[in-house]
Amino acid sequence: MSNINFLGAASGLPLNELVTSFVDAERESKFGRINKAKATLDASLSGIGKLKSALSAFQDAASKLSGDKLKQRSVTITQPIEGKKYIEATASATASATSFDIKVNQLAQGSRLESADAAYSSADDVIATSDGKLTFTAGSKSFDIDVTAGMTLEQLRLKINDSGENFGVNANIINAGGSVGTKLVLSSSETGDGNDLVVSNDNAELDAISTQPTGASAGLTTVQSAQNAIVEIDGILATSASNTFTDVVQDISLTVLQKTPDGNNAKLDVGVDKETVKTNIKAFIDSYNQLVDQVDSLTKSRTLGADGKTVTGNGGSLKGDPLPRSIMSQLQGILGNTIDGSDADMNSLYSLGITLNKDGKLEISTSTEYSDTSGQMRFDKALDENFDAIGKMFGNESGLIASLDSFIQEFNKSGGIIASKESSINKQIANNTKASEAASRYIESFEKSLLSRYQALDSLLAEMQRTQASVTSALTSLPGFGTNKQS
């Protein structure tokens, strides 16, 4: 009220306070309901977000048990000399538990070429007076270098090394001096028997830097031939064109780094990775139990005091909403069911030793109160005797994790059940905002109306007061009015 501070100035009555009290009462009536509804909607939106987040966290923990992730193998390597690496290895989920003695006889290597002694006296020597082309080939790979008239040995080195088509040829120049002079040295990264680097040309002037001449004789000599890697695995000889042996032992990849010392071989042990499985299953259980706690918090009812009337604790932001409890009920059904595609003796969480307790949480119990075997006993036995069946139960195409993932996706995906609920709440919040704006306009109009009416009343009362004062003044001026007569 822009002029409300002056209201009542004419009549002297507290009309300003009267209008303020009326406006405040009307504002409380209108905004009380609106603000309460907004607080409820905001809490519901936050609660839905927390539910979605908790479901996602459980889904992420479950994903660590999907596919072949529970079948991972542990690889242990005993090197011949501590502190030095001779071999490395990885094993796929289908590798058999095994142990091998490994001897590295020879590493795979590429070939190495050198130009003839005294062919060049410095890196600035010109290699050709006319244009030509050099072709570099190793195995199935090849690239060309164009040589221009007047190109020096150093310019050739740079052009080879800078070529975008170079498959792994490294050119160097050694300035030995004396009778050796300057040498061009070419090293190829293509390993394996029969993959020697071959250099050919179309200009006899380039024969000095070729292994296949166009003229009389070649100037490049092979000083190191490409060769295979050779290992002995429990005495069985195996070769590879590279230093990596893939499936030389089925489902195991072996990389050799250096020759093993005579009489001192490396040892490779492949076993099941129980510790990782334990960690991931424990994380799965913990994440589900955190989801249970979150839903309990979101759906809890208000608590009352001893008198049964006084509210001593607020309820959860989704109390009365059936969605969270419906989700948990369906999840418990999935977790308690027999799992399709599993082995007969490992087809449920119970067979693995995991059960739901009275609080609706997953646990591996140590109690034998209701069974001859505890959950912990069944869990340990499964790890020792039925390891791959655990991974099958969780990770096959129709396994537990696939079922959980499909179920949670229906709620958390874009356009899913939770997204639709969020959209509905956001629409209600938008409507609540419109209602608040409309209420503000109404209060402003109501205030102006009261101000106008009470300003008129103020003027009327002031006029009446002036009239009264005038009448009183006139009466008091009459002879003998208000004056005591003398006896």
Side-chain angles (χ1 to χ4, degrees):
M1 295 182 295
S2 58
N3 296 319
I4 199 166
N5 290 333
F6 302 102
L7 187 62
S11 64
L13 297 176
L15 299 181
N16 180 42
E17 290 82 354
L18 186 61
V19 169
T20 297
S21 65
F22 283 152
V23 171
D24 288 345
E26 191 69 12
R27 181 180 289 107
E28 176 61 27
S29 174
K30 293 291 183 183
F31 282 96
R33 295 188 299 271
I34 292 172
N35 291 339
K36 183 178 180 180
K38 184 178 186 303
T40 300
L41 289 170
D42 286 344
S44 295
L45 187 62
S46 174
I48 286 295
K50 291 177 181 178
L51 175 62
K52 183 177 180 180
S53 179
L55 282 171
S56 294
F58 177 53
Q59 188 176 25
D60 289 343
S63 70
K64 294 181 180 179
L65 308 179
S66 63
D68 287 335
K69 294 176 183 176
L70 279 192
K71 298 180 181 179
Q72 293 304 311
R73 298 320 195 218
S74 62
V75 176
T76 304
I77 297 173
T78 304
Q79 306 288 354
I81 298 176
E82 188 176 352
K84 291 186 178 181
K85 278 191 175 182
Y86 292 82
I87 66 170
E88 293 177 339
T90 58
S92 71
T94 53
S96 301
T98 188
S99 179
F100 289 109
D101 185 79
I102 298 175
K103 178 182 179 183
V104 182
N105 292 333
Q106 177 177 288
L107 295 180
Q109 64 181 19
S111 55
R112 177 184 173 96
L113 308 178
E114 291 181 6
S115 60
D117 290 353
Y120 301 100
S121 60
S122 78
D124 295 327
D125 285 1
V126 173
I127 61 174
T129 59
S130 59
D131 294 346
K133 180 173 67 176
L134 290 169
T135 299
F136 298 81
T137 304
S140 61
K141 298 181 179 180
S142 178
F143 72 98
D144 295 330
I145 292 293
D146 290 325
V147 177
T148 55
M151 179 179 282
T152 65
L153 194 63
E154 169 63 5
Q155 289 172 332
L156 174 64
R157 180 185 74 87
L158 295 174
K159 194 165 186 179
I160 292 171
N161 292 337
D162 292 342
S163 172
E165 297 178 352
N166 190 330
F167 56 76
V169 175
N170 186 32
N172 282 292
I173 292 175
I174 298 177
N175 297 297
S179 61
V180 176
T182 294
K183 280 181 172 286
L184 175 66
V185 179
L186 300 175
S187 301
S188 170
S189 63
E190 289 300 299
T191 60
D193 292 349
N195 287 332
D196 286 342
L197 178 62
V198 176
V199 183
S200 58
N201 66 71
D202 64 357
N203 181 348
E205 284 191 282
L206 300 175
D207 284 352
I209 46 177
S210 301
T211 60
Q212 291 182 347
T214 300
S217 61
L220 285 183
T221 303
T222 300
V223 295
Q224 175 183 291
S225 296
Q227 65 182 28
N228 289 338
I230 302 174
V231 298
E232 291 181 44
I233 302 174
D234 280 354
I236 301 173
L237 204 65
T239 63
S240 172
S242 73
N243 285 317
T244 297
F245 293 77
T246 302
D247 287 339
V248 64
V249 177
Q250 192 64 34
D251 296 330
I252 295 176
S253 176
L254 174 69
T255 300
V256 295
L257 306 175
Q258 56 182 316
K259 288 177 62 177
T260 53
D262 290 340
N264 193 1
N265 300 335
K267 186 179 180 182
L268 170 65
D269 292 296
V270 177
V272 293
D273 193 355
K274 293 181 184 179
E275 292 307 313
T276 297
V277 169
K278 288 180 181 179
T279 297
N280 289 340
I281 290 177
K282 180 65 165 56
F284 170 80
I285 292 173
D286 290 345
S287 182
Y288 178 77
N289 291 343
Q290 289 165 10
L291 174 61
V292 172
D293 287 338
Q294 183 67 272
V295 169
D296 285 346
S297 175
L298 292 172
T299 58
K300 69 178 181 180
S301 300
R302 293 187 303 171
T303 54
L304 300 177
D307 60 2
K309 298 178 181 179
T310 306
V311 177
T312 59
N314 294 325
S317 56
L318 297 181
K319 63 181 183 295
D321 189 331
L323 178 63
R325 292 298 182 189
S326 174
I327 291 174
M328 297 311 297
S329 176
Q330 294 178 73
L331 276 178
Q332 287 183 2
I334 294 173
L335 294 172
N337 283 342
T338 299
I339 300 164
D340 293 339
S342 301
D343 292 352
D345 54 352
M346 187 57 59
N347 61 4
S348 68
L349 288 182
Y350 178 83
S351 61
L352 182 58
I354 302 173
T355 54
L356 286 167
N357 62 23
K358 60 183 179 61
D359 296 319
K361 294 184 176 182
L362 293 175
E363 68 174 3
I364 300 176
S365 174
T366 57
S367 172
T368 56
E369 182 178 359
Y370 303 106
S371 174
D372 293 337
T373 59
S374 69
Q376 189 65 57
M377 292 164 65
R378 294 194 301 276
F379 184 72
D380 292 340
K381 182 179 180 181
L383 288 175
D384 290 336
E385 301 177 8
N386 222 350
F387 185 85
D388 285 342
I390 299 174
K392 187 177 180 181
M393 179 182 72
F394 279 104
N396 67 44
E397 290 184 359
S398 57
L400 177 62
I401 304 307
S403 297
L404 289 173
D405 188 67
S406 176
F407 173 76
I408 294 174
Q409 275 291 97
E410 288 302 312
F411 291 91
N412 273 12
K413 69 181 180 182
S414 176
I417 295 172
I418 288 181
S420 297
K421 194 170 187 69
E422 286 176 325
S423 177
S424 174
I425 295 174
N426 280 320
K427 287 180 180 178
Q428 294 178 66
I429 290 175
N431 290 335
N432 180 271
T433 300
K434 291 179 180 179
S436 178
E437 293 170 349
S440 293
R441 292 192 295 270
Y442 166 77
I443 293 299
E444 183 179 357
S445 175
F446 178 70
E447 187 178 37
K448 288 180 179 178
S449 176
L450 283 181
L451 178 61
S452 175
R453 289 155 58 187
Y454 277 91
Q455 282 177 333
L457 176 61
D458 190 32
S459 298
L460 177 61
L461 290 175
E463 181 62 30
M464 292 175 65
Q465 289 171 346
R466 287 193 294 272
T467 301
Q468 180 186 16
S470 176
V471 170
T472 300
S473 175
L475 289 175
T476 57
S477 65
L478 294 176
F481 187 84
T483 304
N484 294 327
K485 294 181 178 181
Q486 301 292 326
S487 53

